[in-house]
Amino acid sequence: MSVGSILAELREKDIKIWADGDRLRCEALPGALTPELRTLLAEHKAELLASLKAVQERSQEQKSLVPLQKNRDGTPIFAVPGHNGDVFCYRALARHLGNQQPFFGLQPPGLDGEEKPLTKVEEIAAYFARQIRQTTTQPVIIAGFCAGGTIAFELARQLEGIDVPVALLAMFGSPHPAYFRPYNRIKERVVKNLKSASADIDGFRTTAYKAISAVARKLRTSRAPATNTEEDPFLTRRALVEQATMTAVAQYKPLSYSGRTSLFLPSADWADSQQFARLWSAHVSHCEEYVGPEGCDTDNMLLEQNAPAFSAMFTSLIQDVLMKQSAPSYA
């Protein structure tokens, strides 16, 4: 009798079975686990354990794939969220792309409390790459939002190395990792505060001092996640993921990527003030820009009010990519 047949019979009798180390555990209603079934389970214990463990491992390995659109047809999008690991930042975008577009968020380790956050971009990307590779070997689309764009970039590079074709790398409001380094963060915030300073020299100096002090306090706070035991455990885990991700991105030094890459910039003003985003073009062979509506920034570019604009641009781009992939090649 095959393992599949045994498991099917157990399901019919509402008998639950699972692997507990090298032991086979069962949960059944009185009288359901007959002597014949007990003998059958004993005879096929090794095979059942191997099958159950394989299922558990596959479930564990793919737990970071969060389906936002469950359709299995078409080229799937695998999207890395921002530094806090919230895959639901893509919810509005995925909905406006349509329910025919497969869309999966990639949740980083550490949020579930079972694993520690990873502190290197290469490690986070490898974690995601293994799970995508187990899901498909067909062409995929990789997306990244804000700090997640850096992880998406490295993920696309690694997928190409394990024979998973990347049809497109899409980066939404994703500054170059140089932007996240402490010196540049301080410089940007100080300049922003000084632009609104009073022309009065005393007021100017006071504003500068306050701006530098505020930035320094914020950076110290960001490096020391809250440890209050009364705090919500999920918020504590999220704070740890945020810090680990920011540390990883700030330390990352991009190499080169040969695939097609698109930068979705929130708005023209944002693009002009965030010159770091355009540094990505130095690392890719094919880079194009798509600019969102006036007044848009990374805080709202994926929210409902702006999702239609970006989904329209993204949809058009995806169609173009897939059309070129399916076009015949002539020598």
Side-chain angles (χ1 to χ4, degrees):
M1 193 172 186
S2 69
V3 169
S5 300
I6 296 172
L7 293 175
E9 183 174 346
L10 293 175
R11 282 194 296 270
E12 287 179 6
K13 298 179 180 296
D14 198 24
I15 299 174
K16 297 179 182 178
I17 185 172
W18 67 94
D20 180 11
D22 293 329
R23 296 185 176 184
L24 201 58
R25 300 290 191 184
C26 296
E27 182 181 301
L29 295 172
L33 197 58
T34 63
E36 292 78 13
L37 267 179
R38 290 179 184 274
T39 300
L40 192 62
L41 293 176
E43 291 175 350
H44 294 273
K45 177 183 175 182
E47 301 162 76
L48 286 165
L49 282 173
S51 177
L52 292 169
K53 286 180 180 179
V55 171
Q56 289 173 359
E57 287 173 3
R58 284 196 297 272
S59 174
Q60 178 76 6
E61 287 168 348
Q62 295 182 13
K63 66 181 180 180
S64 283
L65 304 186
V66 180
L68 299 179
Q69 293 286 7
K70 297 182 180 180
N71 181 42
R72 292 284 177 172
D73 297 325
T75 303
I77 297 171
F78 294 95
V80 183
H83 68 289
N84 65 6
D86 181 13
V87 298
F88 295 103
C89 67
Y90 288 109
R91 184 165 13 203
L93 179 68
R95 184 171 64 253
H96 283 284
L97 289 174
N99 57 18
Q100 296 304 307
Q101 172 61 60
F103 199 116
F104 298 86
L106 296 171
Q107 180 174 290
L111 289 177
D112 57 6
E114 297 178 6
E115 300 172 286
K116 291 183 178 180
L118 300 175
T119 57
K120 291 186 177 180
V121 166
E122 294 85 351
E123 293 176 349
I124 303 171
Y127 178 86
F128 291 147
R130 286 192 298 270
Q131 298 183 51
I132 293 173
R133 180 65 176 78
Q134 290 162 359
T135 303
T136 182
T137 56
Q138 300 303 309
V140 299
I141 295 169
I142 299 299
F145 170 59
C146 197
T150 295
I151 299 169
F153 175 85
E154 176 62 23
L155 174 58
R157 293 184 71 254
Q158 292 193 19
L159 286 173
E160 288 198 331
I162 57 174
D163 298 324
V164 177
V166 178
L168 174 67
L169 169 61
M171 305 171 79
F172 291 85
S174 301
H176 187 275
Y179 168 79
F180 295 97
R181 290 165 194 154
Y183 171 80
N184 290 321
R185 298 295 298 280
I186 292 174
K187 180 181 177 181
E188 182 209 27
R189 290 175 186 173
V190 169
V191 169
K192 185 181 294 185
N193 280 282
L194 292 181
K195 282 183 178 179
S196 61
S198 167
D200 182 282
I201 189 62
D202 291 331
F204 183 86
R205 287 173 178 167
T206 301
T207 303
Y209 175 78
K210 288 182 178 178
I212 295 171
S213 299
V215 170
R217 284 196 304 272
K218 192 162 187 178
L219 287 173
R220 285 196 299 270
T221 302
S222 69
R223 285 196 290 267
T227 56
N228 188 343
T229 55
E230 296 181 359
E231 188 175 342
D232 185 330
F234 177 77
L235 295 180
T236 301
R237 294 196 297 271
R238 172 168 284 184
L240 292 172
V241 169
E242 288 179 357
Q243 179 58 32
T245 303
M246 294 296 281
T247 298
V249 171
Q251 295 174 347
Y252 180 70
K253 295 181 179 179
L255 298 176
S256 60
Y257 174 62
S258 60
R260 184 171 179 176
T261 303
S262 295
L263 304 180
F264 287 85
L265 308 174
S267 64
D269 288 342
W270 185 93
D272 291 339
S273 64
Q274 299 280 358
Q275 295 298 325
F276 285 101
R278 290 186 165 124
L279 290 180
W280 284 113
S281 62
H283 304 287
V284 299
S285 57
H286 184 120
C287 187
E288 52 205 81
E289 292 184 6
Y290 295 85
V291 181
E294 182 179 353
C296 181
D297 58 27
T298 49
D299 289 337
N300 58 38
M301 73 179 297
L302 295 183
L303 298 183
E304 186 60 41
Q305 64 264 39
N306 291 311
F310 286 101
S311 66
M313 290 186 280
F314 198 16
T315 297
S316 177
L317 177 59
I318 292 171
Q319 291 173 348
D320 180 63
V321 169
L322 298 181
M323 188 183 306
K324 289 181 178 178
Q325 280 191 336
S326 61
S329 176
Y330 300 99

